[in-house]
Amino acid sequence: MVRNIEKILKDKEYLIIIADLINQEKVQEMKQYRQHHKINCFEHCLFVSYNTYLICKKHHLDYISAARAGMLHDLFLYDWRGSKKKLHLKHFHAFLHPQIALYNAEKLFNLNDKEKDIIVKHMWPVTLLSFPKYKESFLITIFDKRSALKSFFEYNKKQFSNTKFYRYAYIFFTGLLFRIF
């Protein structure tokens, strides 16, 4: 998984596809919100978007919709930690933020049906009833979870590094995700 911003910024074709998105003020605002441990929401979306773009392009899928929706999939613009109580949400962030991100994205951009599906269904299987309709939607869910796991293990590496649990969990999850591709 590409986590190197410099490498992403050298991919001119990818940058052309998402240029209008990343230059938009509300999308830039995602940099203010921490996503997983040490990564902000903008960086998380950039990594998910870029990695999905690469796989979709390699397998002749709709890499343009995947890249664009991947960049917008977490456009919820609030600190999600403790958000249910602070923001008086009826459900937990994990269940609501795909709809919030879609609502925010639709206010700013014209989205096609595939992009809408990708954004609103990226939390599957957490949101069991929101099964992805497109292959690109399913791939975003995989890279979204992979990014969260990578951040979790990087953040907790010192705590787990000397335990068998860490070694086996890391081998299992990375092996599982790499076998898919």
Side-chain angles (χ1 to χ4, degrees):
M1 183 164 131
V2 176
R3 285 282 262 229
N4 185 332
I5 290 179
E6 290 79 31
K7 181 177 180 178
I8 295 170
L9 296 178
K10 290 179 183 175
D11 191 328
K12 301 297 182 203
E13 180 184 26
Y14 172 74
L15 291 176
I16 289 169
I17 292 168
I18 64 161
D20 63 316
L21 306 179
I22 62 173
N23 292 319
Q24 207 285 335
E25 182 181 329
K26 289 291 184 186
V27 175
Q28 285 289 316
E29 190 179 320
M30 293 192 312
K31 292 177 180 178
Q32 298 174 23
Y33 302 102
R34 190 170 52 121
Q35 180 68 0
H36 302 119
H37 305 290
K38 294 181 180 181
I39 188 171
N40 67 45
C41 195
F42 182 90
E43 292 169 340
H44 163 74
C45 287
L46 186 68
F47 298 140
V48 170
S49 170
Y50 186 67
N51 284 290
T52 307
Y53 156 82
L54 290 175
I55 292 294
C56 287
K57 190 171 181 182
K58 179 180 177 180
H59 293 286
H60 309 289
L61 298 172
D62 185 357
Y63 60 89
I64 294 173
S65 292
R68 294 179 62 78
M71 195 61 221
L72 301 172
H73 81 275
D74 278 340
L75 186 65
F76 48 81
L77 303 175
Y78 58 85
D79 182 3
W80 63 267
R81 287 153 189 81
S83 58
K84 183 174 189 246
K85 191 173 187 177
K86 282 189 278 185
L87 300 174
H88 307 290
L89 301 176
K90 292 181 181 181
H91 301 287
F92 290 105
H93 168 79
F95 299 106
L96 290 179
H97 83 272
Q99 291 87 5
I100 295 168
L102 178 61
Y103 175 79
N104 289 339
E106 285 184 311
K107 286 192 322 189
L108 301 170
F109 306 102
N110 291 322
L111 305 175
N112 64 38
D113 289 341
K114 191 174 290 183
E115 290 167 341
K116 291 175 188 177
D117 189 75
I118 290 169
I119 294 168
V120 81
K121 296 182 180 172
H122 80 271
M123 282 304 289
W124 183 85
V126 174
T127 54
L128 288 174
L129 301 177
S130 296
F131 190 81
K133 182 176 181 180
Y134 303 100
K135 292 175 184 176
E136 295 85 352
S137 304
F138 185 72
L139 289 169
I140 288 283
T141 67
I142 291 171
F143 281 106
D144 186 51
K145 305 316 171 268
R146 186 176 183 197
S147 176
L149 284 171
K150 184 167 179 53
S151 293
F152 173 81
F153 283 118
E154 285 173 356
Y155 181 77
N156 292 295
K157 188 173 185 173
K158 289 180 183 175
Q159 293 172 325
F160 293 129
S161 63
N162 294 326
T163 66
K164 287 183 182 179
F165 168 79
Y166 173 77
R167 288 192 295 270
Y168 291 130
Y170 186 80
I171 290 167
F172 173 77
F173 285 118
T174 55
L176 177 67
L177 292 171
F178 281 107
R179 281 191 185 95
I180 293 171
F181 303 106

